Amino acid sequence: MEPCQGPRETTRPPSFAVPPLACDCHSHILGPVERYPYVENRSFTPPDASPQAYLAMLGALGIERMVVVQPSVYGADNRRTADAVGELGVGRARGVAMVGQNVDAAELRALDDAGIRATRFITTAGGGPSLDNLPGVARKVAEVGWHIEMYVPLDTWPKVLPVIETLPVSVVFDHMGGLKADVPDDDPILGQILRLLDTGRHWVKLCGYRNSQTGYPYGDVTPLARRFVERVPERCVWGTDWPHTAIKGRMPDDGELLDLLGEWVPDVDTRKRILVDNPARLYRFA
């Protein structure tokens, strides 16, 4: 399997002043593969993406906090993500693991002590856990105060959304639920996600260039993002998705992606809420 392209080596600064303690809530640290091997049933092979390269990108953006999310290529082997949180510093970094329903309390406590605050279900790529395990995993992670982050194909939501209503934990809809940028206002999946967000229990991650139907500069995503921001600004967080795995064509510039957030959220106070206050609550930053 040929490796996919790596992230940009340089990042341009954003055009607005980023507030102190802003958080990138979606990133992945990868490699070296000799130490952290990928699962066989992965859908892509990423190049290394080191903590040092990630910090350089965040430095260009002026972002001080970060969340490292377990990539599908590692399956349930959470060593790289947990180690990355430690390398970046538990004072400023948190992590999202990927565990199965057989995980025991001791492992969950150890991951929590390492800065992990959630587990992930991703079925858009090989390596992720079965959605059949969702209720069982939710019961386990509820014991340590975690939430669940989800990225699944659109045709999966009709079966999964009713299950989410019954879970004892909050759910984060990664990548704005994977909804296409041109989704109509009366789309039933969009409506059900919005109703779940209205309960004040769940969250949406504004990480939206993958939702674009027109590609760079991703302007078609703005109406979808604003739907969430205008409806539930107190339940929105934002992420770069660095290092942008499995992207074909033009590699996103994270400064441009942050500027997109400025377009979606022109109000400075609301933007601070999304970049600082909401992540601090969701990921339990001290």
Side-chain angles (χ1 to χ4, degrees):
M1 188 181 297
E2 287 295 319
C4 54
Q5 64 175 321
R8 290 174 176 266
E9 294 185 2
T10 59
T11 301
R12 75 158 178 78
S15 60
F16 63 87
V18 175
L21 301 181
C23 185
D24 173 11
C25 293
H26 201 97
S27 67
H28 310 291
I29 301 298
L30 299 149
V33 70
E34 296 81 11
R35 182 176 177 186
Y36 303 102
Y38 301 142
V39 296
E40 291 294 330
N41 64 328
R42 65 189 182 276
S43 296
F44 57 89
T45 299
D48 287 357
S50 70
Q52 294 76 21
Y54 181 45
L55 286 175
M57 183 279 290
L58 291 181
L61 298 186
I63 288 181
E64 299 177 39
R65 287 176 170 171
M66 62 225 65
V67 178
V68 181
V69 176
Q70 176 80 347
S72 62
V73 294
Y74 283 131
D77 179 358
N78 294 294
R79 292 177 302 144
R80 188 57 188 114
T81 295
D83 287 352
V85 172
E87 292 168 45
L88 293 165
V90 292
R92 62 179 176 180
R94 294 290 185 268
V96 176
M98 197 146 60
V99 302
Q101 62 182 357
N102 294 324
V103 66
D104 60 32
E107 182 180 354
L108 289 174
R109 284 195 299 270
L111 288 169
D112 191 72
D113 289 344
I116 304 298
R117 294 294 181 262
T119 192
R120 187 185 198 204
F121 278 81
I122 175 172
T123 59
T124 56
S130 169
L131 288 170
D132 293 338
N133 297 339
L134 181 58
V137 169
R139 288 191 294 271
K140 291 285 186 73
V141 303
E143 296 298 319
V144 286
W146 289 7
H147 63 268
I148 290 176
E149 307 206 350
M150 299 194 68
Y151 188 33
V152 303
L154 280 174
D155 60 6
T156 306
W157 283 128
K159 292 182 179 179
V160 175
L161 290 171
V163 177
I164 289 175
E165 295 185 43
T166 71
L167 299 180
V169 298
S170 298
V171 166
V172 175
F173 295 98
D174 273 355
H175 301 282
M176 296 192 285
L179 292 160
K180 302 301 183 186
D182 57 359
V183 62
D185 288 338
D186 61 354
D187 180 79
I189 295 175
L190 171 62
Q192 196 164 357
I193 289 175
L194 287 171
R195 286 191 292 274
L196 284 169
L197 293 170
D198 284 340
T199 66
R201 294 188 62 233
H202 306 293
W203 302 79
V204 62
K205 197 174 288 187
L206 305 176
C207 184
Y209 68 94
R210 293 185 188 269
N211 308 68
S212 177
Q213 300 298 285
T214 60
Y216 179 80
Y218 320 115
D220 62 320
V221 180
T222 296
L224 174 62
R226 284 182 174 170
R227 281 190 182 107
F228 291 116
V229 172
E230 292 170 3
R231 180 86 164 243
V232 283
E234 74 282 3
R235 310 306 292 181
C236 295
V237 295
W238 173 85
T240 59
D241 195 30
W242 189 93
H244 313 292
T245 56
I247 287 292
K248 296 180 180 179
R250 186 185 188 277
M251 178 58 61
D253 184 305
D254 295 285
E256 294 175 345
L257 296 181
L258 188 50
D259 275 348
L260 271 182
L261 179 68
E263 295 179 19
W264 302 341
V265 192
D267 179 72
V268 173
D269 290 337
T270 304
R271 204 158 58 221
K272 176 182 176 293
R273 190 177 202 177
I274 291 169
L275 287 172
V276 181
D277 303 332
N278 293 349
R281 282 197 297 140
L282 178 60
Y283 295 100
R284 290 187 280 141
F285 282 100

